[in-house]
Amino acid sequence: MLPRVLLCGEIEHVQDECKKMFHGIAEVIHLVSESRSHFLSSFGPGGPYEGTVALCRRNTSSEVIGKFDAPLIHALADTSMVRWIAQSSGGYDEIDVQACKERGILVSNTPRANEDATATATLYLMLSCLRHFSMAERSLRSGTWKTPFNAAQTHDVTGRTLGILGLGGIGLRFAHLAHAFPMRIIYFSRRKAESAPDWCEYVSSVEELCKQADILSLHVPLNPSTVGMIGEKEIRTLQRGSVLLNTSRGRIVDQEAMIRALEDGHLSSVGLDVYPDEPRVDPRLLTFPRCTLLPHIAGESAKAWRTIELQALGNLRAFVLGGVGEDIVPELRTVIGNSTTL
Amino acid sequence: MSSRQPRILICGDLVWAHEEARQLFDGLADIVVMDSPNRADFLAGLKTRERYDGIVGIYRHNISADRIGVFDEEIIDALAETGTVKWIAHNGAGYDQIDVFRCAKKGISVSNTPGAVNDATATTALYLVISCLRNYAWGEQSLRQGTFKSVLNPGRAHDVTGRTLGILGLGGIGLRLAHLVHAFPMRVVYYSRNRSANAPEWCEYVDSVEGLCRESDVLSLHVPLRDETVHLVGEKEIRAMKKGSIIVNTARGKVVDEEAMIRALADGHLSSVGLDVYPNEPLVNPRLLEFPQNVLLPHMGTENQDSQRRMEVRALTNLRDFLRDGQGNDLVPELRSKL
């Protein structure tokens, strides 16, 4: 009998490829649970998920079974043979990786799959915030042509200083696109990036980044050390009139501090694709006309989704065939070497 | 008989460059501001030689049309009648509001401000290209209406990288846009009346408008409005484009046949359009608003404080150079052969 892989959240763009990839290798089954309790009790003998060795997880599944927090991970470890979770996105903050580490479950994500798409979205947010494009679109559609647009408050992109927090794949790609204008690019990362081009100037702290940037853009993953990393202190260190961009995760920013800064004009605008508690958007954000707000679609294009899904399924397949997949998340890379064979 | 300095007329108020204006014309000319509330008053003022006496050159901005209308034959002739007006320094890349051929006939030179608008306008076009390909305008509308992303279909959103941008008119603005999209990279193809000598080797020349349309995923317009460019992109050209294509227009509304464009949106031949200009601004055809995927800006291509200041200074400098040296730098192309 073939081992099983469970899709927690549907594969939508590569269904044919999925069939081919697992033909003769594993049986692909689908989430049928309508609650967390059903999910957790279904891996045993006679249950719908009996024999499952690996999961492919999308964040949409949390609407039904909740996030993969520590209790869920422990329950999986106790009641199932699941030893691999392939997250179908770059961000994996909805999985408690420490709990996975404790229980010998490995986690992969899909880095690089939507780097280009996300960087492009960040560029879009920056243009819109500096030039008030989004606000102008809304005034046109509401019948007032340009009013209340005021060109006096808008700025060119060229020559401004872009501060990038986290020069990973997405941050670097965004820097590349911004450099075309050109903009002055400065960055802060935990470690100075070896492969950074010479026009990316390293600064030694988040504070220094905030001091010098006209625009601050966030490109760090959400984890216990980055929650609320941009708070009152950091925001007030930015120059008055600065722009904040966030295409990473909402909770990296202290939202209350950000809203206060919008209210008193310290931040001239923010460009966001992510929010602390999606799909809920704090209604106060809608009251600042100069802001540009996208509904977590930065990484979403037909091509990006195909790439993400193929990458996640590829990780799964490699695990089923050989006991280990690619793209193990950084926190768990030292775990490799422990036996994870079937 | 007065021996005062010649005078220049500011026709369309300066927003930023007051100090620069003072410095540029110090010792050269007195500055007079056009304060007529309507055309009749302006024409009368020119005729009676009081308020507007001794004007040798004019700084002009399109905003003045709100009060005195465009610089058509009537105004040009009245300016010529003064016997003193010899230069109109227009602030703007597009100068379709000035009848330049009438000016030529009457011995009045006209300059514009090419270059000063390139970066700002190309940035606007880039915004429209990204937003149309990725459905961001739609996404934001959905968020603001409370539906987050639920109305969107990710299958309709396309990457920028690897798509083909067709540039109609590889002048300063078109070339700047080409440079910005080359960073992704997009494949860049272009058509101009003449192959461009400045074009980088990655800008591929196509030898017809229709050929350009066939090649492009996104067609971006960067030609001035003249008699021969009205409806340059019409039914035939739009239908030559691939199904699902996009048109971006930051040039002038009348370069496109709006009815043909709307028909193509209605039957899905065009997946969306990104516009900063319309045939009859500030009126926007309400049919355009029916498509949530359209990205519609209210003619703000060049407008930000940095570029506005630069444009004012450039126009004023053209005027100063005329006064001081007999010639401004940015004489419009139509008048260059008349030298």
Side-chain angles (χ1 to χ4, degrees):
Chain A
M1 199 181 108
L2 290 177
R4 288 167 140 188
V5 303
L6 170 63
L7 303 182
C8 290
E10 280 310 311
I11 293 292
E12 286 176 356
H13 298 80
V14 298
Q15 283 154 355
D16 290 342
E17 288 89 334
C18 183
K19 286 198 186 89
K20 287 191 198 127
M21 283 169 87
F22 290 98
H23 181 69
I25 293 168
E27 183 192 353
V28 178
I29 60 175
H30 302 261
L31 188 71
V32 296
S33 305
E34 287 172 10
S35 70
R36 172 178 275 224
S37 52
H38 178 274
F39 176 72
L40 291 176
S41 57
S42 299
F43 287 88
Y49 311 138
E50 182 185 5
T52 299
V53 301
L55 306 175
C56 185
R57 183 186 177 279
R58 273 185 69 170
N59 283 355
T60 48
S61 63
S62 66
E63 285 162 36
V64 180
I65 61 177
K67 297 185 185 179
F68 273 34
D69 52 14
L72 186 146
I73 298 297
H74 288 295
L76 269 183
D78 290 335
T79 66
S80 78
M81 293 164 33
V82 172
R83 291 298 175 264
W84 192 280
I85 301 168
Q87 173 73 20
S88 197
S89 64
Y92 49 95
D93 43 277
E94 291 194 359
I95 302 174
D96 188 328
V97 292
Q98 279 311 309
C100 291
K101 190 169 188 174
E102 282 165 35
R103 302 306 304 267
I105 296 176
L106 285 170
V107 180
S108 62
N109 66 336
T110 56
R112 296 177 306 280
N114 66 4
E115 256 170 32
D116 181 36
T118 308
T120 302
T122 317
L123 175 66
Y124 167 91
L125 289 172
M126 181 172 69
L127 299 184
S128 186
C129 284
L130 283 173
R131 297 282 301 274
H132 297 179
F133 285 140
S134 163
M135 181 174 88
E137 277 186 65
R138 274 175 276 125
S139 77
L140 183 149
R141 279 185 179 268
S142 71
T144 60
W145 187 240
K146 290 188 206 203
T147 311
F149 171 76
N150 177 2
Q153 294 176 353
T154 67
H155 293 281
D156 273 338
V157 175
T158 305
R160 307 231 139 222
T161 299
L162 172 63
I164 296 186
L165 181 61
L167 202 69
I170 299 172
L172 193 52
R173 177 70 180 158
F174 176 44
H176 171 78
L177 297 176
H179 182 60
F181 283 82
M183 298 183 82
R184 178 183 169 227
I185 315 280
I186 59 176
Y187 78 97
F188 175 73
S189 270
R190 283 168 307 174
R191 284 177 291 279
K192 197 167 178 212
E194 283 160 26
S195 51
D198 56 13
W199 43 261
C200 279
E201 304 168 38
Y202 180 74
V203 298
S204 53
S205 65
V206 179
E207 195 183 332
E208 194 54 38
L209 191 70
C210 292
K211 269 199 198 131
Q212 298 191 39
D214 296 313
I215 300 106
L216 176 67
S217 187
L218 312 182
H219 300 284
V220 292
L222 178 64
N223 57 46
S225 66
T226 62
V227 172
M229 181 176 187
I230 301 300
E232 181 73 20
K233 178 157 92 74
E234 291 74 25
I235 290 173
R236 295 291 159 177
T237 304
L238 288 166
Q239 294 156 52
R240 188 175 171 80
S242 294
V243 170
L244 176 64
L245 307 174
N246 191 2
T247 51
S248 294
R249 286 290 183 267
R251 291 183 194 191
I252 294 168
V253 181
D254 173 347
Q255 187 172 248
E256 289 303 317
M258 183 178 76
I259 288 177
R260 276 194 301 275
L262 284 166
E263 280 167 354
D264 66 29
H266 186 79
L267 287 175
S268 66
S269 66
V270 298
L272 307 176
D273 184 51
V274 289
Y275 309 84
D277 191 23
E278 296 166 23
R280 192 182 164 270
V281 176
D282 191 309
R284 289 172 294 170
L285 289 173
L286 307 183
T287 65
F288 305 108
R290 294 194 292 255
C291 294
T292 307
L293 308 171
L294 292 176
H296 203 158
I297 53 175
E300 296 209 358
S301 67
K303 182 154 168 267
W305 265 117
R306 282 185 55 84
T307 309
I308 285 169
E309 290 186 347
L310 286 173
Q311 203 169 340
L313 293 173
N315 284 324
L316 224 49
R317 185 175 185 274
F319 167 69
V320 170
L321 283 178
V324 66
E326 306 257 345
D327 303 322
I328 297 175
V329 299
E331 291 89 335
L332 300 183
R333 287 209 193 120
T334 50
V335 170
I336 257 312
N338 297 352
S339 172
T340 49
T341 51
L342 297 165
Chain B
M1 167 95 174
S2 95
S3 56
R4 64 180 174 200
Q5 291 190 120
R7 302 163 99 205
I8 58 139
L9 181 69
I10 303 293
C11 197
D13 296 345
L14 292 174
V15 179
W16 300 103
H18 302 100
E19 189 48 42
E20 287 90 332
R22 267 190 288 278
Q23 286 169 17
L24 281 167
F25 296 102
D26 187 35
L28 269 181
D30 291 329
I31 300 175
V32 177
V33 172
M34 196 283 291
D35 57 4
S36 299
N38 54 52
R39 174 177 281 233
D41 182 272
F42 179 60
L43 293 173
L46 285 173
K47 203 159 180 190
T48 61
R49 297 179 183 285
E50 283 168 5
R51 268 142 69 223
Y52 302 137
D53 190 29
I55 306 270
V56 300
I58 300 177
Y59 161 93
R60 183 190 177 278
H61 188 283
N62 278 356
I63 193 103
S64 62
D66 290 355
R67 287 201 254 148
I68 65 173
V70 301
F71 271 31
D72 55 10
E73 200 173 294
E74 185 181 32
I75 286 195
I76 302 299
D77 286 359
L79 292 174
E81 288 281 301
T82 64
T84 53
V85 174
K86 293 293 179 216
W87 195 279
I88 299 169
H90 179 71
N91 175 347
Y95 46 93
D96 42 279
Q97 285 194 2
I98 302 173
D99 184 342
V100 292
F101 294 109
R102 194 69 184 171
C103 289
K105 203 159 177 189
K106 292 288 177 169
I108 298 176
S109 297
V110 181
S111 60
N112 66 337
T113 56
V117 307
N118 292 356
D119 185 29
T121 310
T123 302
T124 304
L126 177 64
Y127 172 89
L128 293 170
V129 169
I130 297 174
S131 189
C132 282
L133 279 169
R134 300 288 294 273
N135 292 345
Y136 284 155
W138 201 346
E140 185 158 11
Q141 284 166 44
S142 171
L143 181 150
R144 285 177 181 273
Q145 284 160 14
T147 51
F148 207 62
K149 62 170 138 180
S150 57
V151 306
L152 301 175
N153 173 2
R156 283 189 63 126
H158 298 284
D159 281 321
V160 174
T161 305
R163 302 235 139 212
T164 299
L165 177 72
I167 296 184
L168 182 56
L170 201 68
I173 300 171
L175 202 50
R176 175 69 180 161
L177 177 64
H179 169 79
L180 293 176
V181 304
H182 182 60
F184 285 79
M186 295 185 83
R187 175 184 170 229
V188 178
V189 296
Y190 79 96
Y191 172 77
S192 272
R193 281 171 308 173
N194 308 107
R195 215 185 252 266
S196 166
N198 310 343
E201 38 87 26
W202 44 261
C203 279
E204 304 167 39
Y205 181 72
V206 183
D207 61 13
S208 67
V209 178
E210 209 176 313
L212 185 71
C213 291
R214 273 198 293 275
E215 294 288 320
S216 306
D217 297 311
V218 181
L219 176 70
S220 188
L221 312 182
H222 299 285
V223 292
L225 181 64
R226 303 201 173 106
D227 287 341
E228 62 267 25
T229 63
V230 173
H231 289 193
L232 185 58
V233 177
E235 179 74 21
K236 182 155 80 80
E237 291 74 24
I238 291 174
R239 295 292 159 176
M241 296 181 78
K242 289 173 274 206
K243 186 173 164 71
S245 295
I246 291 164
I247 292 179
V248 164
N249 189 3
T250 54
R252 285 290 184 270
K254 292 183 185 173
V255 174
V256 184
D257 176 345
E258 189 179 64
E259 286 303 314
M261 184 173 72
I262 289 173
R263 277 196 300 276
L265 284 165
D267 67 26
H269 185 77
L270 290 175
S271 63
S272 66
V273 296
L275 309 176
D276 187 45
V277 290
Y278 309 84
N280 197 15
E281 295 165 22
L283 294 177
V284 177
N285 190 322
R287 298 219 45 214
L288 290 170
L289 305 180
E290 290 168 18
F291 304 95
Q293 68 268 36
N294 286 350
V295 188
L296 307 170
L297 292 173
H299 202 163
M300 47 197 292
T302 64
E303 290 187 36
N304 64 71
Q305 64 167 280
D306 307 307
S307 66
Q308 271 187 328
R309 179 188 297 270
R310 271 200 301 279
M311 285 165 70
E312 288 185 352
V313 171
R314 183 143 181 174
L316 292 167
T317 303
N318 280 325
L319 197 50
R320 189 279 310 269
D321 289 349
F322 161 67
L323 280 171
R324 189 187 63 184
D325 310 327
Q327 174 78 340
N329 237 344
D330 301 316
L331 191 64
V332 299
E334 290 90 333
L335 301 184
R336 286 201 197 131
S337 55
K338 311 271 195 277
L339 282 173

